[in-house]
Amino acid sequence: MSEKRLKKEKLKKHLFTKNRLVILNDDTFEEVFSLRLTLMNVFVFATLGAIIIIFLTTLFIAFTPLREYIPGYPSGKLKKEATELALKSDSLEFAIKKNEAYLESIKKVLTGNLEYAKVNKDSILAISVDTLPDLELTATESEMNLRKQVAEEEKKKIEKRK
C-alpha cells in the first residue's frame, strides 16, 4: 500500500512542479518569450482547446451548407424535389379518381342502368368529388320554434302589404 501512496505522491509532485518555457533568439541568445508552466496547466489547456475546437467545428458544419457533404444528410434540393413529387402524386391520384368515376358512369350507360341524356362528364366529376355521405339530419326543437317564428313574421309582413 505504501508503494501506491509513493507513486501517487510522485505523480502529484511531477504534475505540479513548475517549469519554465523559454524562447531564445538563436543568434544572440536573447530571451524572446518566457512562461512558467506546470504539467497540469498544459494538460488542462490542451483539453479545453480540443473541446473548443470540436465544438466550433460542429457548429460550423451544422449551420453552413457543408452539412450537405455529410453522408446520409439530405440536401436542400432533394427536400424540394420530394415535396414537389408529393404534390404531383396527390394531384395524379385526384385525376385518377375523377377518371374512374367517369368510366363507371359510362359503364352504367352502356349496360342500360342510366339514361344517356343524364350523363355529363362535368356533373359526374363534380358529384364524385363533392358528394357528402348520406346523413339523416333532423331539426331540434329550437330550430323548429325558430322556423315557426320566421314563418309567422313573414305572414304578418304579407298581411301588412295587402
Side-chain angles (χ1 to χ4, degrees), residues 10-159:
K10 193 174 186 182
L11 180 64
K12 187 176 180 182
K13 185 177 180 184
H14 186 65
L15 284 175
F16 293 104
T17 301
K18 292 186 180 182
N19 299 311
R20 182 178 295 255
L21 174 67
V22 179
I23 298 176
L24 298 174
N25 186 347
D26 197 31
D27 294 334
T28 62
F29 295 108
E30 179 183 353
E31 186 176 314
V32 176
F33 180 73
S34 173
L35 188 62
R36 289 183 62 173
L37 297 170
T38 65
L39 194 55
M40 182 59 89
N41 287 347
V42 173
F43 177 71
V44 168
F45 285 122
T47 304
L48 285 176
I51 290 171
I52 290 171
I53 288 173
I54 291 169
F55 180 73
L56 291 176
T57 304
T58 304
L59 286 178
F60 183 69
I61 290 172
F63 294 109
T64 61
L66 286 176
R67 66 176 171 244
E68 294 176 6
Y69 295 108
I70 298 172
Y73 193 87
S75 67
K77 182 180 177 184
L78 183 65
K79 285 182 182 179
K80 184 179 178 183
E81 288 176 359
T83 305
E84 288 176 0
L85 289 175
L87 291 173
K88 283 181 183 178
S89 66
D90 287 344
S91 62
L92 287 175
E93 285 179 16
F94 183 71
I96 287 172
K97 286 181 183 177
K98 280 184 172 182
N99 286 337
E100 286 175 355
Y102 179 68
L103 290 175
E104 188 65 32
S105 65
I106 289 177
K107 284 180 186 177
K108 287 181 182 177
V109 168
L110 292 176
T111 58
N113 294 340
L114 280 178
E115 296 176 15
Y116 182 75
K118 290 184 180 178
V119 177
N120 182 358
K121 183 176 181 178
D122 294 333
S123 64
I124 292 170
L125 296 178
I127 290 170
S128 66
V129 173
D130 298 330
T131 56
L132 294 174
D134 294 334
L135 300 174
E136 292 185 27
L137 299 176
T138 57
T140 61
E141 284 187 38
S142 60
E143 290 174 333
M144 294 300 283
N145 291 336
L146 180 63
R147 288 180 187 177
K148 287 178 184 177
Q149 288 176 357
V150 170
E152 289 175 6
E153 289 177 4
E154 287 180 5
K155 285 181 185 178
K156 288 180 184 177
K157 287 181 183 178
I158 292 172
E159 290 176 3

